[in-house]
Amino acid sequence: MMSAELQKWHFNVDQYYRLAEVGVLNPDDRVELIEGEIIRMSPIGTRHASSVAKLLHGLTKMETLAATFWVQNPVRLDTFSEPVPDVALLKPRHDFYAERHPTSEDVLLIIEIADTTVLTDRNVKVPLYARFRIPEVWRVNLPKKLVEVYSDPTDGPYRKQSNFQIGDTITSPTIPGLTLKVDDIIA
C-alpha cells in the first residue's frame, strides 16, 4: 500500500531570498520563513498598527534604553528560520545592522502583537524564540487585552511567564529600566 503522506519542501534562507530575486516572491508579499516553510503573514489591521505605534511611542520616550528598534524587519535565527517580529529591541551596533540581519545573539527582546495570529504566535513563534534563547518575548493578545511576558529560555520552553492586563505596568525581567504600562501598548 502506498503512503498518502505529502512531502514538503523546506527552504533555507538563501533559497528564500533567491525566490524573491527571481520574482516568485514579490516585494509586497508579507511572508516570513519559519522552520523552512514560507508562511503568509496576516494583513496589518488598524488596531494592530495602532498598537505598534503606541508601543514605539512609549519605547522612544525611554532615554536610558540602549537598544536599536527593529520594526517589522527580519531576524535570522538559523538557516531555516527568519521570522519578522512586530518589534525587536537589539543590541546597538554602529552600522545599524547594514551588513547583515540580526541573529538571536543580537536580540534583547521580541514583541509580537497578535490580533488574528494569537494561537500561531503562542504555539509556533514563542517556542521558536525560546529554542534560540531569545532572552525575552512579549506577546500582545489584542482580543483579550493582555500582554504575556516570557523570559528565562531553556532548551525547551521559557521557564517564566507572566500576564499583564489593562491597568498593569510591565517591568522587563531582562532589560534594566524598561517599564511600560499595558495601556501604552494596547490600542
Side-chain angles (χ1 to χ4, degrees):
M1 182 164 204
M2 295 184 66
S3 172
E5 186 175 325
L6 297 175
Q7 297 292 317
K8 292 182 180 178
W9 177 271
H10 285 90
F11 297 95
N12 65 36
V13 173
D14 293 334
Q15 293 166 330
Y16 175 63
Y17 278 95
R18 184 75 182 122
L19 290 172
E21 288 171 12
V22 299
V24 174
L25 296 175
N26 296 313
D28 294 336
D29 288 341
R30 287 191 28 84
V31 295
E32 58 189 342
L33 186 66
I34 305 292
E35 299 186 296
E37 295 184 28
I38 299 170
I39 307 296
R40 184 183 311 259
M41 297 170 61
S42 295
I44 298 174
T46 56
R47 205 163 158 223
H48 183 281
S50 177
S51 291
V52 171
K54 283 181 77 171
L55 171 65
L56 289 173
H57 179 74
L59 290 171
T60 56
K61 291 188 330 187
M62 292 182 204
E63 296 174 9
T64 60
L65 190 60
T68 296
F69 300 151
W70 198 248
V71 182
Q72 296 174 338
N73 287 320
V75 173
R76 184 167 297 177
L77 298 179
D78 70 358
T79 306
F80 294 98
S81 290
E82 194 175 89
V84 181
D86 290 302
V87 177
L89 299 186
L90 308 175
K91 294 175 184 172
R93 280 180 41 143
H94 71 282
D95 70 345
F96 289 85
Y97 296 91
E99 297 297 317
R100 64 169 174 80
H101 285 313
T103 64
S104 58
E105 292 81 26
D106 301 310
V107 176
L108 302 169
L109 167 67
I110 283 183
I111 304 168
E112 292 284 1
I113 297 177
D115 197 357
T116 60
T117 61
V118 173
L119 292 177
T120 302
D121 287 352
R122 178 188 303 128
N123 298 330
V124 176
K125 291 180 111 178
V126 169
L128 180 70
Y129 296 143
R131 203 166 68 242
F132 286 94
R133 297 189 173 276
I134 302 297
E136 185 175 350
V137 174
W138 294 7
R139 191 177 76 90
V140 180
N141 183 330
L142 291 179
K144 290 193 175 182
K145 298 183 179 183
L146 176 77
V147 178
E148 299 169 6
V149 175
Y150 298 87
S151 62
D152 199 11
T154 63
D155 290 331
Y158 285 97
R159 284 190 269 213
K160 296 179 182 172
Q161 193 244 323
S162 302
N163 293 335
F164 298 88
Q165 301 174 357
I166 297 291
D168 292 342
T169 298
I170 304 168
T171 299
S172 168
T174 64
I175 302 173
L178 175 53
T179 300
L180 276 177
K181 293 180 180 180
V182 172
D183 305 60
D184 292 336
I185 300 171
I186 294 178

